[in-house]
Amino acid sequence: MMKLWKRASGALKDRKSLFSIGFSRKTSFRNPDLDSAIIHATSHDDTSVDYRNAHRVYKWIRSSPTNLKPLVHSLSSRVNRTRSWIVALKALMLVHGVLCCKVSSVQEIRRLPFDLSDFSDGHSRPSKTWGFNAFIRAYFSFLDQYSFFMSDQLRRRHRKPQVESVSQELERIQKLQSLLHMLLQIRPMADNMKRTLILEAMDCVVIEIFDIYGKICSAIAKLLIKIHPATGKSEAVMALKIVKKATSQGEDLALYFEFCKEFGVSNANEIPKFVSIPEEDIKAIEKAINGVEEEEEETKKEEMEVEEEKGIILVERPELLQTIITDKWEVFEDDLCFTCKENTETDQHRKYNVDPSPLPLIVIDEPVYFTHTLPDLITF
């Protein structure tokens, strides 16, 4: 009886929304026909999905970029007003389909125009709806990041064409692995979630997993060819982390598909064989890292040897005079490098001529004691 009342109440809300659209005018932000299709595609009926009206929305988006603003306005208004997990989930499925249209105007949205990160159903007790709330939050988190990722990739393609560097490829693979991890969090966790709408949503998730995991495998296969001893250490270390994570995610995917098959997701009936990274490829990356480290050690060793060769070696020369530091002017003998000549005009001024040959360094046999402050010392 309660279920019938909820369905009747939801149907009444949908009719009220459709009735109010009939009085709205078409503007740059409003399209009554598009609004009507969105309301039908996101109805309160949890027994089915209105794919006919969903495809009408996709057709409008593909036909002209000007339909993007009315779509964003209508969807955000619909989602922000609802407290029904059914409407929220249908809206997310509709957005997922819009993002898959691969239209450049859609990929410029960046983040989703609404926030369901803290969604909570307001028509039932939390003990009955916690699983649906968690499902919607996880689905929203993935789509929000996926939209941002697609927008970022589109902007890079629109820039000056250039060959993607190894570090950029590694960064892209890491983002794809992060998206795959978020997809694996979308799953029904409560016992009361075996509903038609949940199964339909899981079919969409499984298809997306195939797509993203395929991109990861393809990117890794191309990347392994570029990793060699000449590759930078940071790139090789990052590549090793990616390869190890891909192996771990392959195991997680096998468990996820097994769960989906038991739950009744039709697209998971045939569990694919997930590609494992060959051991020789992992060893090749480790060898590249070790090769870079050995090369860095050899370079440091060579630099130290060069510094040692450049170092000053003091040789004891007893036949030479000792160096004495004093605060008084001294006159040296002719066999030393400095010679002094008296100036004829005054006894207090002298001119010093320096021999261009270097002054040999000697060792002082006896310690020299400094009794003056730094400004008092004069160094030649």
Side-chain angles (χ1 to χ4, degrees):
M1 188 71 179
M2 183 64 69
K3 287 184 178 179
L4 291 175
W5 182 86
K6 286 183 179 179
R7 288 179 182 176
S9 176
L12 186 62
K13 290 179 180 179
D14 293 335
R15 289 182 182 179
K16 184 179 178 181
S17 299
L18 291 170
F19 180 76
S20 63
I21 289 173
F23 296 95
S24 61
R25 293 182 300 173
K26 187 173 183 180
T27 64
S28 59
F29 287 93
R30 295 295 299 269
N31 184 337
D33 294 331
L34 183 59
D35 291 345
S36 175
I38 289 174
I39 290 172
H40 280 99
T42 60
S43 66
H44 287 76
D45 183 9
D46 66 334
T47 60
S48 63
V49 179
D50 192 341
Y51 286 110
R52 185 178 70 85
N53 279 287
H55 285 290
R56 285 179 63 196
V57 174
Y58 305 151
K59 186 178 179 181
W60 259 305
I61 293 301
R62 291 192 186 99
S63 63
S64 174
T66 57
N67 291 321
L68 180 61
K69 286 183 179 180
L71 169 71
V72 171
H73 179 269
S74 181
L75 257 179
S76 58
S77 299
R78 179 77 167 164
V79 172
N80 290 331
R81 286 199 309 265
T82 189
R83 297 190 65 192
S84 167
W85 71 265
I86 300 169
V87 175
L89 183 54
K90 285 186 175 183
L92 290 174
M93 293 171 66
L94 186 63
V95 170
H96 197 170
V98 169
L99 292 175
C100 291
C101 290
K102 308 297 182 184
V103 179
S104 58
S105 59
V106 172
Q107 294 176 357
E108 292 175 359
I109 294 177
R110 294 180 73 80
R111 310 305 284 263
L112 297 189
F114 50 82
D115 185 10
L116 291 175
S117 59
D118 195 31
F119 176 81
S120 181
D121 185 271
H123 299 288
S124 300
R125 288 177 293 177
S127 59
K128 291 185 177 181
T129 59
W130 69 268
F132 299 99
N133 296 338
F135 190 92
I136 289 169
R137 292 172 187 176
Y139 200 1
F140 166 78
S141 297
F142 162 72
L143 289 176
D144 191 45
Q145 290 298 319
Y146 183 55
S147 177
F148 183 80
F149 171 77
M150 291 179 63
S151 176
D152 184 59
Q153 294 298 308
L154 180 67
R155 293 191 176 199
R156 289 189 178 187
R157 286 196 297 267
H158 284 174
R159 290 176 190 164
K160 207 174 199 179
Q162 56 182 0
V163 179
E164 195 174 31
S165 64
V166 175
S167 60
Q168 288 175 332
E169 291 181 18
L170 289 168
E171 184 183 349
R172 178 173 172 271
I173 296 173
Q174 283 185 327
K175 289 179 179 179
L176 287 170
Q177 287 181 327
S178 177
L179 289 173
L180 182 60
H181 174 74
M182 298 180 81
L183 276 170
L184 295 179
Q185 308 309 308
I186 307 172
R187 63 173 69 196
M189 293 181 286
D191 296 333
N192 61 339
M193 293 184 67
K194 201 161 188 178
R195 309 280 190 92
T196 301
L197 185 56
I198 295 293
L199 289 171
E200 293 286 345
M202 287 299 294
D203 275 332
C204 298
V205 171
V206 168
I207 292 172
E208 194 64 61
I209 286 176
F210 277 120
D211 184 52
I212 291 182
Y213 187 70
K215 290 177 181 178
I216 292 173
C217 293
S218 177
I220 290 177
K222 294 177 182 178
L223 182 67
L224 290 175
I225 304 173
K226 301 179 181 180
I227 301 298
H228 46 76
T231 307
K233 181 181 177 181
S234 59
E235 285 85 356
V237 170
M238 194 183 299
L240 184 61
K241 289 181 181 179
I242 286 173
V243 168
K244 289 183 177 180
K245 187 167 184 176
T247 303
S248 175
Q249 283 188 329
E251 298 171 358
D252 295 339
L253 282 168
L255 295 174
Y256 186 85
F257 271 80
E258 189 67 38
F259 167 80
C260 291
K261 184 179 179 181
E262 293 177 0
F263 189 77
V265 180
S266 58
N267 286 333
N269 286 334
E270 295 183 7
I271 301 176
K273 292 182 179 180
F274 298 101
V275 180
S276 59
I277 308 298
E279 189 66 26
E280 53 268 22
D281 290 336
I282 298 177
K283 289 182 178 180
I285 298 175
E286 292 175 344
K287 186 178 178 181
I289 296 172
N290 296 331
V292 172
E293 290 178 348
E294 291 174 1
E295 185 178 347
E296 289 178 352
E297 290 178 0
E298 290 178 1
T299 304
K300 289 180 180 179
K301 189 176 179 181
E302 291 176 359
E303 290 177 353
M304 291 177 64
E305 290 176 354
V306 170
E307 290 297 328
E308 289 179 359
E309 291 177 359
K310 290 181 179 179
I312 299 174
I313 303 176
L314 300 179
V315 181
E316 187 176 354
R317 300 285 298 277
E319 66 275 11
L320 296 177
L321 297 177
Q322 297 178 352
T323 303
I324 300 174
I325 300 176
T326 178
D327 61 342
K328 297 181 180 181
W329 293 101
E330 295 291 338
V331 179
F332 297 94
E333 297 295 336
D334 293 337
D335 57 347
L336 295 178
C337 298
F338 289 93
T339 60
C340 300
K341 292 184 181 180
E342 269 192 341
N343 194 307
T344 57
E345 294 180 359
T346 174
D347 293 337
Q348 296 180 352
H349 296 82
R350 295 179 177 87
K351 295 182 180 178
Y352 296 90
N353 297 325
V354 181
D355 191 343
S357 61
L359 179 66
L361 298 171
I362 63 173
V363 176
I364 300 174
D365 294 334
E366 297 181 1
V368 178
Y369 299 95
F370 297 87
T371 59
H372 298 276
T373 58
L374 186 61
D376 295 331
L377 298 177
I378 300 176
T379 305
F380 293 98

